[in-house]
Amino acid sequence: MIRSTVARVDLGAVAANVRALRDYLAREPRNGAPVPSLIAVVKANAYGHGAERVALAIEAAGADTLACADIEEAVALRRAGVRAPILVFGALSISDLDGIFEYGLTPTITTPWAARAVQEAAARRGVVIEYHLKIDTGMHRLGFRDENLRWTLPPVLASSHLRLQAIYTHFASADDAENPLFAEQRERFDAASEVVRELTGLMPMRHAANSAATLRDSRVWYDAVRPGLLLYGIVPPPLASTIPLQPAMSLTSRVVAVKGLRPGEAVGYGCRFVAQEPATVAVVPAGYADGLDTRLSGRGHVLIRGRRAPIVGAVSMDMLTVDVTGMEVSPGDDVVIIGRQGDESWQQLDAREMAAAIGTIPWEIVCRLGSRIERQYS
Ligand SMILES: *Cc1c(COP(=O)(O)O)cnc(C)c1O
């Protein structure tokens, strides 16, 4: 039994995106600096695409390292057969540290507290664990503050069961060309790198760039870049890119019913759409329980028979309704919610457009796609 609303994930597109990114990183001249390696971010169920299949495809396509949000996500990747290094970004304090050792994960140390916890756990097992150190250069969430490193870092470096493998930072505003914080964070990270070099005697491996920063400034590529969104074929708004990326996911359904409305009749909860003229609505079996935002009502579109049909009336838990007045629509017709239905530019709906229509970001659109929706891989 397959529900009519399905997400198709094109693993070939994901692999092609990995290769396109690698080509882009190799092409850009950087005064002789080596080509950065690729840390592929597959947190949050690979941005809703399905972590296990996507991670294996990305690994096979040649990503050097995979990264996820917490130990639990990383353990799921190992169980799925991922053998590449896996960097765990954060949330160590609420996770079971055993996973780091049992599954060979690379933790990020983001606080002195986390350093002590990992050091103690490694000492108990009699092993030395390699870690990445996160430096806070202006995001002000996790990480050692850059200006405090001279006294916060020495005790961590002195821990006999911890070995520093890399340092990194994370940009708060890489997608905003107007915001000076991006350049400030780069300068702070460069200065912090020098402090680490002084304290350790060598320049550690460094990484900083999320998707937006990867597109914007090759100076922040350092030794590795850390894109997420780009891997899935979505360019962070408002940026544009010439990298040939393909959207990896489409979301499709089928019309389950077609209903004629007389003038003055309304459809759905709250009577939010009232027909002024005789109207026809098509009912599509996908709703907010599938991750489709209620704000799409009156703002979003779907494609039916190659045409854009506006979403009207309230998006409900399991259904949404679209205005197909004047169109020949029948139950069973294909509906595209994200994806394309024809070759014209207006016959494509993507996560970026959907996000813009409702005032959110494309990351949220794909990550929220419900677990009830089956992911079909090709
Ligand atoms: C999510 C995340 C990324 C990837 O961000 P994108 O904007 O999707 O490229 C990179 N680094 C860290 C630390 C992250 O949490």
Side-chain angles (χ1 to χ4, degrees), residues 41 43 47 67 69 89 134 141 168-170 208-212 214 226-230 232 236 363:
V41 180
K43 65 191 176 190
Y47 290 45
F89 281 147
K134 186 162 192 183
R141 297 185 314 191
Y168 73 93
T169 194
H170 194 40
N210 58 4
S211 293
T214 301
R226 244 177 21 234
L229 199 66
L230 291 176
Y232 309 99
W363 291 262

Side-chain angles (χ1 to χ4, degrees), residues 50-123:
E52 299 175 3
R53 296 291 298 271
V54 168
L56 288 169
I58 286 177
E59 180 181 38
D64 305 278
T65 299
L66 301 185
C68 45
D70 57 30
I71 293 175
E72 289 75 6
E73 286 185 352
V75 168
L77 296 186
R78 279 278 181 263
R79 289 192 175 142
V82 169
R83 305 168 74 146
I86 302 179
L87 174 63
V88 179
F89 281 147
L92 285 186
S93 55
I94 51 169
S95 289
D96 180 359
L97 285 183
D98 289 342
I100 290 178
F101 304 95
E102 285 165 21
Y103 292 88
L105 311 176
T106 308
T108 298
I109 287 185
T110 60
T111 61
W113 188 94
R116 280 193 296 277
V118 179
Q119 154 76 14
E120 278 163 25

Side-chain angles (χ1 to χ4, degrees), residues 18-72:
V18 170
R19 289 192 297 268
L21 267 166
R22 296 203 73 128
D23 289 348
Y24 168 71
L25 296 170
R27 261 198 331 265
E28 189 90 353
R30 286 200 305 156
N31 294 329
V35 175
S37 66
L38 184 63
I39 302 175
V41 180
V42 294
K43 65 191 176 190
N45 198 27
Y47 290 45
H49 293 61
E52 299 175 3
R53 296 291 298 271
V54 168
L56 288 169
I58 286 177
E59 180 181 38
D64 305 278
T65 299
L66 301 185
C68 45
D70 57 30
I71 293 175
E72 289 75 6

Side-chain angles (χ1 to χ4, degrees), residues 128-206:
V128 174
I129 192 104
E130 293 197 322
Y131 67 97
H132 291 207
L133 179 84
K134 186 162 192 183
I135 299 178
D136 175 12
T137 55
M139 177 75 104
H140 299 145
R141 297 185 314 191
L142 296 176
F144 286 63
R145 268 187 186 268
D146 59 337
E147 69 267 48
N148 296 349
L149 283 173
R150 278 183 204 283
W151 58 93
T152 53
L153 196 49
V156 183
L157 295 173
S159 304
S160 50
H161 293 270
L162 301 180
R163 184 180 300 137
L164 179 67
Q165 190 182 68
I167 62 172
Y168 73 93
T169 194
H170 194 40
F171 291 112
S173 66
D175 51 1
D176 179 1
E178 304 292 306
N179 196 324
L181 183 60
F182 179 62
E184 274 165 41
Q185 284 194 269
R186 174 173 54 77
E187 284 160 16
R188 285 167 163 254
F189 188 56
D190 286 341
S193 308
E194 288 304 329
V195 173
V196 177
R197 190 216 293 264
E198 269 174 48
L199 293 172
T200 61
L202 30 108
M203 182 60 88
M205 192 183 115
R206 294 183 287 169

